[in-house]
Amino acid sequence: MKRTIILLSFILLLPLLGCTQSSDILVHDPVVAKEEGKYYLFCTGWGIAVYSSENMKDWKKEASVFAEPPSWALETVKEFKGHIWAPDISYHDGWYYLYYSVSAFAKNTSAIGLVMNKTLDPADKDFKWIDKGMVVQSVPNRDFWNAIDPNLVEDDNGTPWMSFGSFWGGLKLVRLSEDRTALAEPQEWYTIAARKRTDFLDDKEPGDAAIEAPFIFKKNGYYYLFASWDYCCRGAESTYKMVVGRSEKVTGPYLDKEGKDMAKGGGTILLSGNKKWPGVGHNSTYTFDGEDYLVFHGYDMNDDGKPKLKITKINWDSDFWPVIDQSVLSK
């Protein structure tokens, strides 16, 4: 989500996310995993907010991942107090990998960390979150990118890659080590999506090239790159929208329907807001039981612009582009 313009009202609201068991839960930046017939949702919140559901409609609040802020994050990002952004959940070789973001508002003083667990079921005897510390860091005046909004994708050879980014120079892709806990050496980096930034802005500033929240989904022989354009967190004034491009290689180039490279401003609009849901974005994408789903948050104007969870199925056109039924924003 847009880190530089988060309003105080939303900051105060996020600790309360999901205090009721309901399909009308308040979330930012949702991701989902399924284990033993139950869905687990992770999202931005104090200590990383967690919910569980048996049907992806009625959600129960679970304990946060962190009871106390990770010590490495407090040392790395001095302004960090425990409010963790934009997690990403994946499974590999008997472990769940939960990447997460810590940052200072309006700065690329940021880092992505990793916490791991054998199971997502809090009642399981093996349930224990083990923090593995920092994976990648961005530093003002050194890096022209922002280390938040991680997403892990495995290429056709089984190599793990992480996409991430918000504003500045756009969305990045970097190869991870085989154990997925660090960057691979020698390091291998790519810019996979970016937008035009006004010239001569201070490099310390996020700027106006509003793009963030990459999510790469393998389907139909392609890697689909989903991203969010424009601004979240402004209630009725939110302009968040989702875009997509695709590539035959995980490293890109990711081209939109018109063949324009997302690294050069391309991107096909997948879903944009309306009067009822003015901003929609920061999506994740999954296949559950043979159906593809888009998971995202939107700002509900029937409830003072609060951020709500939205889940809808993805269809595919004859050219294998994702299609979203616009009626998802009529409810």
Side-chain angles (χ1 to χ4, degrees):
M1 66 184 178
K2 175 71 170 71
R3 309 304 174 190
T4 61
I5 47 78
I6 290 182
L7 303 180
L8 178 60
S9 60
F10 283 111
I11 298 172
L12 295 175
L13 174 67
L14 284 168
L16 305 177
L17 297 185
C19 292
T20 60
Q21 182 172 337
S22 169
S23 60
D24 195 34
I25 59 172
L26 282 64
V27 303
H28 269 123
D29 318 328
V31 295
V32 179
K34 187 178 183 182
E35 181 186 35
E36 300 294 333
K38 183 174 285 189
Y39 300 92
Y40 295 89
L41 183 150
F42 302 85
C43 64
T44 291
W46 295 99
I48 307 177
V50 185
Y51 306 84
S52 64
S53 174
E54 295 182 355
N55 57 14
M56 287 198 295
K57 295 179 182 179
D58 302 298
W59 294 92
K60 176 186 176 183
K61 185 72 173 67
E62 303 286 356
S64 297
V65 171
F66 290 101
E68 299 291 337
S71 58
W72 75 264
L74 293 172
E75 296 169 1
T76 303
V77 180
K78 299 303 182 184
E79 296 174 36
F80 173 70
K81 304 299 181 184
H83 188 255
I84 298 176
W85 298 343
D88 178 70
I89 187 72
S90 58
Y91 183 79
H92 173 70
D93 197 23
W95 287 91
Y96 287 94
Y97 290 69
L98 185 65
Y99 298 93
Y100 59 93
S101 313
V102 298
S103 185
F105 289 113
K107 299 178 182 179
N108 63 336
T109 306
S110 308
I112 293 168
L114 170 63
V115 63
M116 298 172 61
N117 205 327
K118 282 283 189 180
T119 177
L120 302 180
D121 182 1
D124 192 296
K125 63 179 178 61
D126 292 327
F127 180 86
K128 181 181 180 181
W129 289 109
I130 302 171
D131 191 34
K132 307 298 286 188
M134 185 170 62
V135 178
V136 62
Q137 178 185 17
S138 57
V139 177
N141 292 320
R142 186 193 75 178
D143 304 311
F144 195 60
W145 40 268
N146 194 14
I148 65 171
D149 295 0
N151 171 242
L152 183 137
V153 63
E154 188 178 283
D155 69 19
D156 292 333
N157 298 317
T159 302
W161 297 81
M162 177 181 286
S163 63
F164 63 88
S166 176
F167 286 69
W168 277 274
L171 308 183
K172 305 300 179 181
L173 182 78
V174 64
R175 186 166 60 91
L176 296 183
S177 59
E178 290 186 10
D179 67 3
R180 307 182 180 212
T181 65
L183 302 188
E185 297 292 346
Q187 293 184 17
E188 188 174 350
W189 290 77
Y190 299 87
T191 296
I192 54 175
R195 300 181 76 189
K196 174 63 178 175
R197 175 183 167 101
T198 298
D199 294 335
F200 309 118
L201 297 178
D202 190 323
D203 284 356
K204 295 197 301 286
E205 300 299 322
D208 51 3
I211 185 172
E212 58 193 2
F215 195 98
I216 299 175
F217 180 64
K218 292 195 294 183
K219 182 82 175 183
N220 306 319
Y222 292 101
Y223 297 90
Y224 292 86
L225 172 59
F226 297 86
S228 295
W229 279 0
D230 299 336
Y231 299 95
C232 83
C233 313
R234 295 180 173 185
E237 303 303 318
S238 299
T239 56
Y240 231 19
K241 55 184 65 69
M242 286 170 273
V243 298
V244 65
R246 69 188 185 189
S247 174
E248 294 181 356
K249 299 191 301 180
V250 72
T251 54
Y254 288 88
L255 308 181
D256 65 17
K257 280 188 175 183
E258 283 66 51
K260 187 173 183 179
D261 190 342
M262 291 183 73
K264 300 177 180 178
T268 296
I269 300 293
L270 180 69
L271 189 67
S272 56
N274 57 22
K275 288 184 178 180
K276 187 168 184 179
W277 298 92
V280 291
H282 205 119
N283 75 280
S284 54
T285 309
Y286 308 96
T287 302
F288 294 130
D289 301 321
E291 298 279 359
D292 298 326
Y293 292 90
L294 188 78
V295 181
F296 60 99
H297 73 257
Y299 298 94
D300 185 359
M301 293 314 298
N302 285 339
D303 194 9
D304 298 323
K306 293 175 182 175
K308 299 291 185 66
L309 174 67
K310 303 290 283 183
I311 300 176
T312 189
K313 289 183 179 180
I314 301 175
N315 296 309
W316 302 89
D317 69 16
S318 59
D319 292 324
F320 304 111
W321 285 98
V323 177
I324 301 299
D325 187 341
Q326 301 296 306
S327 67
V328 67
L329 301 184
S330 65
K331 301 175 182 180

